[in-house]
Amino acid sequence: MMVGSSLPYLVENSLWPVENGLSVLVGRTGNGKSATGNSILGRRAFKSRASSSGVTSTCELQRTELKDGQIINFIDTPGRFFDFSAESEFIGKEIFKCIKLAKDGIHAVLVVFSVRTPFSQEEQAALHSLQTLFGSKIIDYMIVVFTGWDELEDMRKH
């Protein structure tokens, strides 16, 4: 299914956080997507541990209600979204599942990078694929998140 330039899955003029907003976490395996989602949701909603092989195997939706009553929703995606050596059938099924979970529209896409690893051709290709799938306006909905700063601080202290 080609979404194209009409962007039916992006909520016009919306950027996280918004009431009942839906954000999608994307990034390479091991970059900390699940941990980022858990931090924002304020609870351990997604399985998360340090792993280079990946913990998240399928798209998953979690939500939480903040103290002010605002509800925020996140879809965590497998790092294999960014792994173009993965089977295209798997990637296609997961993209379809993600779009189905986001039936009311996506308010923001959090692109999670790790400061521990250099920006790769794989990540560049994945960002290009997001633009191809959703159109060039997807960039207007992206929030870039860098993880691993705490580890860099620890390394500088030693």
Side-chain angles (χ1 to χ4, degrees):
M1 172 162 82
M2 181 64 150
V3 176
S5 61
S6 64
L7 299 170
Y9 293 99
L10 298 175
V11 177
E12 192 66 34
N13 298 323
S14 182
L15 195 57
W16 177 87
V18 295
E19 186 155 346
N20 296 321
L22 175 70
S23 299
V24 179
L25 296 154
V26 297
R28 190 166 64 181
T29 297
N31 279 4
K33 296 177 300 297
S34 300
T36 298
N38 289 341
S39 292
I40 296 169
L41 291 169
R43 63 187 178 88
R44 194 172 172 86
F46 301 111
K47 286 187 213 170
S48 176
R49 68 177 188 282
S51 173
S52 61
S53 62
V55 176
T56 305
S57 59
T58 188
C59 291
E60 180 183 351
L61 173 66
Q62 290 287 338
R63 68 177 37 205
T64 198
E65 185 173 343
L66 302 177
K67 291 178 185 174
D68 65 359
Q70 179 181 353
I71 296 172
I72 54 174
N73 305 282
F74 275 91
I75 296 175
D76 190 14
T77 62
R80 290 178 63 189
F81 262 19
F82 273 43
D83 179 2
F84 292 100
S85 65
E87 295 176 26
S88 60
E89 183 179 336
F90 166 81
I91 293 171
K93 283 182 181 178
E94 286 303 307
I95 288 172
F96 181 75
K97 181 177 180 181
C98 185
I99 288 172
K100 193 173 174 183
L101 288 171
K103 66 184 182 306
D104 294 327
I106 297 170
H107 293 83
V109 177
L110 277 72
V111 184
V112 181
F113 295 105
S114 172
V115 298
R116 297 179 303 263
T117 57
F119 185 72
S120 68
Q121 287 181 330
E122 177 183 56
E123 288 168 315
Q124 186 174 358
L127 292 174
H128 181 71
S129 293
L130 285 171
Q131 285 182 300
T132 301
L133 184 63
F134 290 104
S136 61
K137 284 197 72 139
I138 188 74
I139 292 174
D140 296 340
Y141 293 82
M142 287 184 176
I143 300 172
V144 177
V145 178
F146 291 96
T147 62
W149 289 104
D150 51 344
E151 292 175 32
L152 287 181
E153 285 294 316
D154 290 345
M155 289 171 55
R156 278 195 345 190
K157 290 178 184 176
H158 292 98

